[in-house]
Amino acid sequence: MLNYDLVVIGGGPAGMAAALRAHEKGVKKIIILERADSLGGILEQCIHTGFGLHYFGEELSGPEYAGRFITQVYDTDIDVKVDTMVLDISDDNVVTACNNFDGLLTIKATAVVLAMGCRERPRGALSIAGSRCSGIMTAGTAQKYVNIDGYMPGKTVVILGSGDIGLIMARRMTLEGAKVKAVCELMPYSGGLTRNIVQCLEDFGIPLRLSCTVVKTHGKDRLEGVTVANVDEHLKPIPGTEEYIPCDTLMLSVGLIPENELSKNAGVELDRITNGPSVDEYRQTVKPGVFACGNVLQVHDLVDYVTEESQIAGEGAARYIEGERADGEKVYTEGTNGVRYIVPQRINKNTDKDVKLYFRVGQVFRNVKLTVKCGDEVILSRPKKKMTPGEMENVLIKTDVIKRLPADSKITVSVEEA
Amino acid sequence: MTKREMVCVSCPIGCAITVELDDSGEVISVSGNSCKRGDAYARQECTHPERMLTSTVRVEGGNLPVVPVKSATPVPKEMLFDCMKEINKVSLKAPVHFGDVVIENILGTGVNIIATNEIY
């Protein structure tokens, strides 16, 4: 069995930032285990720009953003194993993994950082009628075909779901000469960033059809078309609104699911809204010494925020390895009245830093007030012009506020009328 | 005087910006932006809209068949498809490095198309 102070599972932006921060904080033996054949994670296929504006103050593409961290990792003595699949994390933090060089690996870890990211919700989760013809794929799969493998998966495209990857692919396919006929979104609002609606759809005259879904796919060997229909307020297709759209490709951009099979098996408690681990301000899960960050914890819009969060987890892991334990009094967080969830879910009262609460709202709000309370005490309240489910928000809670709140009290974040 | 509402695409925050224009189309004021990029974007958008362009270019003999590229700075929005045609004509030989100039001064815009990954 190998011994490491810190085992980081996943070599994407989250895993790399956590490992690098732990290294900076003096952790000696660190290893990153990555399932793919190189570090970088999903950024390698995200060739569009917009990454790094917050973190680096520059507009980088995905591979450029990842490249900066990959270089840093290889400049340290952090060990990296690629093509390596982690199978299990035991009760006492023994990580079992396998690859073609070492066979089965067991690694005793003082601390573990979960940074496995997320995966796309697949067709099977949607129950659309039709046969299993080719031409139906997730937007991320199409993105890999075009940007990494270098070929076009189709000529005429309908996209179901207005998540950011779908919007980005609408533009990418259009620039490469395909015709994107429509982006259909089940909800009455888009799940993607407003900037992507503007620069990926409006710029190219691609229609965004809200409250609309695909009810049937046509074609046996290859997709020939889809039937779309408008939906009512219960999201059920409205009879008589069906419309046939010929296309050879249907791309799905219908949500991302944090990849937590390992976490669940390891006894890490998950938040039922985020589907990611429930964590404290240093992103420590309920399992001592196990931390989580990036899209495995909560699905982010911006990689810059993934980096920020992962540095917090890396520092938390370093402090745990130094012997610090988070077993004191806590306060808890809760999203209410329009706020769907909050990360972190709990905060140690003796924390020595200000804590940013990250959250999403459940619907589009305009001209409202965002209020943070503990009991009847208003901690802060600020006007918001617009909040949408597609954009993650945050508020900063000061250390002195956290320290004076009663143990086991609850900090609530809610949307109120202005 | 006319008012134009727009969403800033300079970064993923996507500020809602209001621009006031006089009758000759000159910008009088910009509001709603949270940084100076937003101000510049709004003025540009009302006069000569520009966009960053990203795509891929063929590579022979590398570990992957294509390398991602970007325009080093934004190009005029109406030239995106013409620029794509130029980009699709190019074929490189491995290795390719971060920042390699793939097309110099594409279509006389003064903008270089550069590689954004390593191909070995």
Side-chain angles (χ1 to χ4, degrees), chain A residues 13-14 42-43 46 48-55 60 62 65 164 168 191-196 199 256 293-295 298-310 341 356 358 360 390-394, chain B residues 9-14:
Chain A
I42 206 66
L43 287 174
C46 301
H48 53 282
T49 57
F51 303 93
L53 273 165
H54 296 274
Y55 190 72
L60 304 173
Y65 190 95
D164 286 310
I168 295 284
L193 296 171
T194 316
R195 92 189 282 250
N196 286 336
Q199 61 179 357
L256 299 166
C293 55
N295 283 352
Q298 56 175 335
V299 175
H300 293 68
D301 314 320
L302 303 192
V303 71
D304 303 61
Y305 294 160
V306 167
T307 299
E308 218 174 85
E309 177 174 273
S310 306
Y341 71 83
K356 253 188 203 172
Y358 292 88
R360 282 181 200 273
E391 305 194 5
M392 190 190 282
E393 304 272 345
N394 68 72
Chain B
V9 301
S10 304
C11 90
I13 289 175

Side-chain angles (χ1 to χ4, degrees), chain A residues 73-94:
Chain A
V73 167
Y74 284 117
D75 280 347
T76 66
D77 57 1
I78 295 172
D79 288 330
V80 176
K81 279 187 189 291
V82 294
D83 284 319
T84 301
M85 176 81 186
V86 174
L87 304 172
D88 183 59
I89 307 163
S90 75
D91 291 342
D92 52 351
N93 293 345
V94 173

Side-chain angles (χ1 to χ4, degrees), chain A residues 109 161 331 364 371:
Chain A
V331 293
V364 179
T371 305

